[in-house]
Amino acid sequence: MPSDPKVQIDRARSLVPGAHFIRADAARVDFPDEGFDAVVCLYSLIHMPLPDQKPLLGRIARWLRPGGRLLATVGETAWTGTQERWLGGSAAMWWSHADSDTYAEQITGAGLTVTSRLVVPEPEGDGEHALFWARRPSPPGKRESVS
């Protein structure tokens, strides 16, 4: 049975009492431009419908301050489908991901510079994912706020 999101947020609040937590649809949420030093998307984009992923990467690029960083795990090869009893659970897990070359194009098309790209094995299987590090460049003459 899936965890209740409220329970998970309550747990997080107890562990990090000074943090601000938001429950939102990651494919639809929006934040102010240049409001973040970093955005981390580990094994999350690949569970969103493909049509939602490219626009989200564009919003993430806007959210980053000049010099800000993105760390994202995406698909190495394109695949959309369901895995029954994933990790021994009772529910099916749904995946939807493009190939890593497509993600590289989408990340750079959003205005970010890919600084590193690594193929990593799936922790639970025999497939592979791609791990991207990217940064938002500073406009000419503007000092970066992130080192």
Side-chain angles (χ1 to χ4, degrees):
M1 172 175 225
S3 294
D4 176 358
K6 183 179 178 335
V7 171
Q8 297 303 321
I9 292 171
D10 289 344
R11 286 179 184 161
R13 282 191 179 116
S14 72
L15 293 170
V16 189
H20 179 71
F21 296 91
I22 299 170
R23 180 179 173 196
D25 179 345
R28 306 282 178 258
V29 70
D30 207 3
F31 296 102
D33 291 357
E34 299 186 7
F36 292 100
D37 292 322
V39 174
V40 178
C41 299
L42 297 178
Y43 303 97
S44 54
L45 288 170
I46 58 179
H47 296 287
M48 296 179 192
L50 279 172
D52 292 341
Q53 295 177 28
K54 184 177 179 181
L56 177 56
L57 288 167
R59 289 195 311 278
I60 288 170
R62 285 194 342 261
W63 301 339
L64 291 170
R65 293 183 179 103
R69 312 258 178 193
L70 168 66
L71 173 61
T73 308
V74 296
E76 176 59 20
T77 58
W79 185 70
T80 296
T82 303
Q83 288 178 291
E84 297 298 325
R85 300 188 48 77
W86 184 70
L87 294 179
S90 60
M93 178 62 74
W94 181 80
W95 308 80
S96 185
H97 49 82
D99 62 89
S100 63
D101 288 338
T102 298
Y103 284 110
E105 291 171 10
Q106 291 178 352
I107 291 168
T108 57
L112 302 176
T113 301
V114 174
T115 58
S116 185
R117 176 177 165 181
L118 178 68
V119 176
V120 295
E122 286 182 5
E124 69 284 339
D126 58 0
E128 296 175 321
H129 291 291
L131 186 62
F132 279 91
W133 288 267
R135 65 186 287 279
R136 180 177 176 182
S138 294
K142 185 172 181 182
R143 188 170 167 258
E144 290 183 5
S145 62
V146 179
S147 57

